[in-house]
Every structure is written in structure tokens, then in C-alpha cells.
Amino acid sequence: MFRKIYDEELTNGQCYGNLHYLCKNIGQRLSGSANAQKAIDWGKKLMESYGFDKVFLQPVMVPHWVRGAKESGVIIDNGKRIPVALAALGMSVGTPAAGITANVIEVHSLKELDTLGEAKIKGKIVFFNRPFDPRYIATLTAYGIAGDQRNLGPAAAAKYGAAGVVVRSLTESIDNYPHTGATHYDDGGKKIPAAALSTIAANQLSALLKKNKGVKFYLKTNCQMLPDAPSFNVVGELKGTENPNKFITVGGHLDSWDLAEGAHDDGTGIMQSVEALRILKAMGYRPKNTLRAVFFINEENGDKGGEKYADLAAQNKEDHIAAIESDLGGFTPRGFGFDGASPELMNKINRNWKKLFEPYGSDHLVAGGSGSDIGPLKAKFAGVQLIGFSPDPQRYFDVHHTPNDVFENVNKRELELGAASMASLMYLIDQHGVK
Amino acid sequence: MFRKIYDEELTNGQCYGNLHYLCKNIGQRLSGSANAQKAIDWGKKLMESYGFDKVFLQPVMVPHWVRGAKESGVIIDNGKRIPVALAALGMSVGTPAAGITANVIEVHSLKELDTLGEAKIKGKIVFFNRPFDPRYIATLTAYGIAGDQRNLGPAAAAKYGAAGVVVRSLTESIDNYPHTGATHYDDGGKKIPAAALSTIAANQLSALLKKNKGVKFYLKTNCQMLPDAPSFNVVGELKGTENPNKFITVGGHLDSWDLAEGAHDDGTGIMQSVEALRILKAMGYRPKNTLRAVFFINEENGDKGGEKYADLAAQNKEDHIAAIESDLGGFTPRGFGFDGASPELMNKINRNWKKLFEPYGSDHLVAGGSGSDIGPLKAKFAGVQLIGFSPDPQRYFDVHHTPNDVFENVNKRELELGAASMASLMYLIDQHGVK
């Protein structure tokens, strides 16, 4: 069965062509944008074209943040003005129309911020510059560790009266792309403008600050929050022949940041998800349980799609056996992470399934995380097994949340092997459960 | 020890910068060319700069094939002339100055050629068009299976009186790069001109032939064989403290095809090899046995460097315990193949070593092939274990032997992880042997 799944995908695969359409004919699709709606409409039509048993939309309100006109950032070193590459952080407020100009204080952690306190921070632009730790083989770990600067740094700096925040981009790569991403203000807390600097710009600013503590920074961003907007998850399913009301879901997120095509984040994930169902249908496979592909909306700045999906599933008593998420890029599959799985379950999975995945290189089956779109299912279904697709992680943060996250950086075979590995895992769970 | 090796490489790695120099400041380096000599001189200086215990050159004569002026290929369909992307095969003879124009016969195997025979082939240009089989997860297998067309096709077609040969490029990728590579004429057999067509050109020619059997092809190549040229292997070593006359070698090939920078083939292999020794030296590791990094010359069109290395090792009674070759690209490491290893040895290796490599993802330790540069050691040392480095194989044949095999297609972390995995394996073998 595995061999048939992989043969179908490697000879008749359609996810690479579909991804091309999504990236080039639609492109960026931030929640609430007209392009997001275009992608929703196209996604629904695509699933219908494959003749799935049921295709439908789930309405959900989403945050609607807009970047506005392109930002600007300038280092001012003894009167010399050096423009740098930067991008406003998602969900951040804009600067006043004239921008802000202030002295800069470089910090490397939230703790250091606390140590410096209001006396050193008030009125300044806080520059978070802790780099990725390259020693983690799993780049997601380095991202998680460096990520507090972007996620929580602006809110924390605001408490001490900072005028604004610039953050080193969350990547190990030394290049000139700013990596955007969401930041989170405290409820009721002060909101200050915040932007990501490219790593080259961050290195430059840091070097200049070492020579001259009087370096200033000019920041001008034009972003704003609009009222929440109506949007949708897209859902397609192959109906179960034995247990139509038991579900195995595979999905990714349809929305992307506004700066690029959202190829690896997460065009690959949604195209692999619909492909997993297409493969099984093309083979004439009749599932025991209902198999679903879901394009979740709003993973990047709100997770409203994932929450709505879980709410509706609970409301409609759609018993979920398992859910698989693909949101770490369309690179060569290495395996799957089983969220919160016991050592006993992992032993069983490895005893029975590892050898099946070995010839396809997707055999690292480990206890681990899953993903934020399927996460909310856990609170609704005690028995659900959440699973994260684990592609090779080395290149993801080179392109993540940048204008360089484009179709050309996706490899056809790598993408297809991922789709086939997801279809294979769905098949195994459909046949044998995962308990 | 593994952790220290990986930390050293991921924080202080130099192979990516070295590869940049090789690709951008030297570039293509076909055997016998002035650029190959530049690369040899630079490689020796690089090893010397790392303070290895001994750095030296091994003189060896190599074939000297030159492409000459750029080739041209034109499909002639009812008088309409359609230029296509193609490149002469390495070691092939050139056409007469006026080129050759002839009818085309499309074939898919050497067997089909035999079936057609002289009556159908004489005077024509034979077009080998069997595509890569995409179903092989290991793309090297697909390459091996499709490769007879390029390696042996021209010699076989010459026997039936063909005027020339064009071969579909050995890749699954559908693009407009011709993939060159060596072809082998029979000793004393007739030599006819031969060139690789891009896959797009091959598809186009095939489609036109389906409509019009009278399609002709114009082929003009300007290549020729010059007399053998003097060249060198570059060798650096860290002297063994216990067994200075027992050797563990790691290497790749210094020469590349003339069309590109030879980044993945095999700039990455040689830069990883010298890096493996640099890492161990930087850590202050004192090896029991002598560790060697070797830049072999002439892998692409003669294997003279590998043969010379083995000859000299035997002559100098340098007992080789093991040799590791990296010549499948600088992609994320997946593991190692142990040439001709018994099931007992593989069980032992997996029992003792697999868990060490698992955290670094380089844990597919299997019986398998090694590489053509270290291959000749086998006949000289009964006890030597040959080992092939196995990176992720999905992208290699997208760039292999094309103008697109450039530095930009190498990822820093992927390259570094490979170098660290090689250093780790050398360390294990140095400590424990591999028997």
C-alpha cells in the first residue's frame, strides 16, 4: 500500500503544480485580505474538482491587520543616515506620521530589560539582538528560544517607557531579508511600534553602537488594526464507510504573511493536505473513517481558524481520532511527532510502523509537538492523537516570514514525498487507529 | 564528543566560506585545465593554513578533454529551425566544422537499438530519451538505471553506423539545463559526436517526432581530446599517535565539469573533508591512527586520481583501515553506506553507533555503495572498509553537471552538518575500528 501511495504521488503528483498556482496566481494572503478570500474560493474549487464527497466552508471572524505603505528604518550615526532593511511586526501599531527618532539601547533578553529598568529604557528604541543559537539541530528549538524577543519584547519594553522596538530577525541566516511575524501586546498594556531588522542590519547597528553609544534610530511604520473581518476555513472530506462520524484530519494554514507568496509557510502544508486525500481517492481507497483535509485560516496572527474548527467539531460531535498538521515547510520528510504520546504508544508505533516508513526516509517517529491549528482539538476530544509532520528543518528559517518564501525555493520531489508520507500515515491510522 | 564536534562546526564552521572561495574565486576546474591547477594550489595552501601535520601533492597524469566553443543544436521541422539547449558529453569527439545534419531516430534503451539494427540507424542521429524513473526514493538509483544511455549509448550507436547521438539529460527535473557527463567509447571502436539535451528540449524533440518522422537535427560540437596533462591529488594529514602507519581517509573530488562552479559536485565533498580534520584538530583531538583528507583529481572523466592514491598507498605500505567519500552533494546528512558490509557488521554498527547519530539525523547506517575515488583501495587493502556519505538525495540531480550547480544552491547548515557527521564517524573509527 505504501509503495502504491508513493508511486501515485511521484508519477501523478499535483501538489507542486497547485502550489505554483497558489503562489503565482494568488500570492500573499494575510487574514482579512482580498487575496485570502481569493485563496479560499480557489481552494474550495480545487477540492471540488477532485470529487471529494463533501467540500464546505466554515465561517470565522479573523483579526485584520494591515501593513500600509512600506516601512522605513534609518540608523543615524553622528549625523550620517544609513537606511536599513526592516519590516513592521504583525499586529503592531504604526508610528506617528513623522516617525520616531530616538537613542537605541541594545539588549539580549527580557531579563536584561528588567535589569536595566525604566531609567535606562524610557524614551529609547529597544533593540533586541539575541541571535539564533546555531547549535540546535532542530532549528524550531532555536526559533522558540529566540522568539520571546519578537513575541513579548515590544510589550515588555513598553512597560519601561520605550518609544519603540526593533528586533533581530528570527533566523540564523545572515542576509538582508527582514523576517516579520506576530507580536503580542498585553491586554490593556501600552502599545509601541515594533519592527524586525534583517540580520545584516542588526549586525550593522550593533557594531555601530559599540563605537558610538549616541547612535539614534529613525523608525516609521504605517500599520494598523482594522475591525475583525469575516473569513473561512476550507474543508474537504472522503466519507468513512464504517465510521462516518469518526474523523482523521490533515491540514495546514491558508493564510500567509503579506510580504511574500507563503510558499513554505504554509502553501506546502495545505497543498500536501489536499494531495493526501487526492492520492487515496485516486487509488480507489475507501476509508473506514472520514478523512478530512482542512485549510485553516489565520494561523499567523490569531489562530481563529483552528479554534473555530475545534469548536464546530465539538458542537457537531465529530469524534476526532487523529489530526496531522504540516506547517514546518515542504522539505524532505523525516518523520512525524506524536503530541504527548506515552513511551508505550511510541514503542508500539515504532515496532509496527517504523519499518514501513524506513524505505521512504520518513521514519523518525517520536513523541513531540504537533501544531497550533490542530492544537485546540485536544481540549475537545480526550481521545484525539495530534501529530506534527516533521520535514528536514535546516532551510525553513532562511525563508520563514520573508519576501524570499517563494515557490522557487520549494523542491518538487521533497514536497511530493511529504504528501505521500501524510497519505501513508492517514492510511495506517484509518486501518489500525493510533492508541 | 559528538556534541563537541557538532558545536564546533555549527558555531565556527569554515567549510561554507571555503566553498564560496572555491566556487566564486576559482570556479570550474575540469581535469587538465588551468583552473584545476589553481584549485590544487589553493587547496594545498588551505590545508597548510590549518596547520595539519603534513600536506603534500601526489602527481598524476590525467585525461585532458576540452569543450572548445559553445555547441549548437537545432531541430529542423519542415524547414523550421528550432535551436535547443544542449552540451557535448565529456570525452566525446567534436563534429566536423560544418556540423552534422541528419534524420533522428528516438530510442529508449540499448536493447531497442539492437532491435532496430543498422538498417534503421545508419546515418541518423540517435536520440536516447528514456526518462528518469521518479519512483525511486534514492535518486542515485534512477540515475544509475537511466545512465547507460549517456555512458554507453554513443559507443553502441556508433556500431550501427549512427552519425551522432543526443541524450536526454539525466535528471527528473523538467528544465532547460543540459546535464553533461562522461561517455565511454569502446577501445578501437568508432567515435561519434554526442551531446546531452535539456529535458525541455528532449520533450520538444520527441513531441515533434511524433507528428513528423522527417524531423532532422543539426549538431555542432567543438570538443577534442588533448594529450594527457600533469595534475595532482592534494593530501593533508593529522598524524596518528599510536598507529601512524594506519590510515583513515576522508575525501571528495577536486575536479568539476567545465560548465559550472561544481558546488555540490563536488566542492562540498572536498570542503567537508578538510573540515572534518579541521574540526578534530580545533578540538585538540589527538588521533590514534593517521587521519587524512584527500582532494582527488579527475573523478569526472577518468578516475586517475583515485587510482593513483590507491597505488601509492599500496606502494608505501600505508595500511588503510577505512575511507569515507562524500560525492553526492552537500545536503542534509542522512547517514552512511558501508560498502560490502556483512549483516553481522551492520548489526554491530547499528547496535553501537546508530543511537549516537540519531540526535543529529545522520543515523541511516546501511550496507551500500561508497564512491569511485576510494574504490581502488579495495583491491590493495583486504581489511579496508569503504564508506559513502549519504546526504538527502532529492535535489542532487536538479543541478548535477549543469551550469546551475552553483554556490547559491548550497545551504550552510546542511553543509556543516555533513562535515560534522564525517568528523564524528572518523572519530568513532579511530577509537573503535570498523570490523
Side-chain angles (χ1 to χ4, degrees), chain B residues 260-332:
Chain B
E261 296 169 5
H264 279 293
D265 188 14
D266 184 23
T268 55
I270 59 175
M271 294 299 103
Q272 288 173 323
S273 297
V274 70
E275 187 79 348
L277 260 64
R278 188 200 66 75
I279 295 170
L280 293 169
K281 186 174 162 66
M283 293 168 59
Y285 179 66
R286 307 280 313 277
K288 293 183 181 178
N289 307 285
T290 296
L291 307 185
R292 268 192 185 160
V294 183
F295 296 179
F296 296 96
I297 191 74
N298 188 228
E299 190 272 348
E300 293 295 5
N301 58 340
D303 289 318
K304 297 301 176 197
E307 288 165 14
K308 175 61 79 171
Y309 181 82
D311 285 348
L312 289 173
Q315 201 175 302
N316 299 329
K317 299 194 169 41
E318 297 166 343
D319 185 18
H320 275 65
I321 300 171
I324 307 168
E325 181 162 331
S326 170
D327 187 18
L328 293 170
F331 307 98
T332 300

Side-chain angles (χ1 to χ4, degrees), chain A residues 146-177:
Chain A
D148 61 353
Q149 304 176 102
R150 189 198 79 199
N151 296 329
L152 309 172
K159 281 192 209 154
Y160 295 115
V165 163
V166 290
V167 186
R168 181 187 185 88
S169 283
L170 296 178
T171 182
E172 185 188 331
S173 180
I174 303 299
D175 59 39
N176 220 11
Y177 294 110

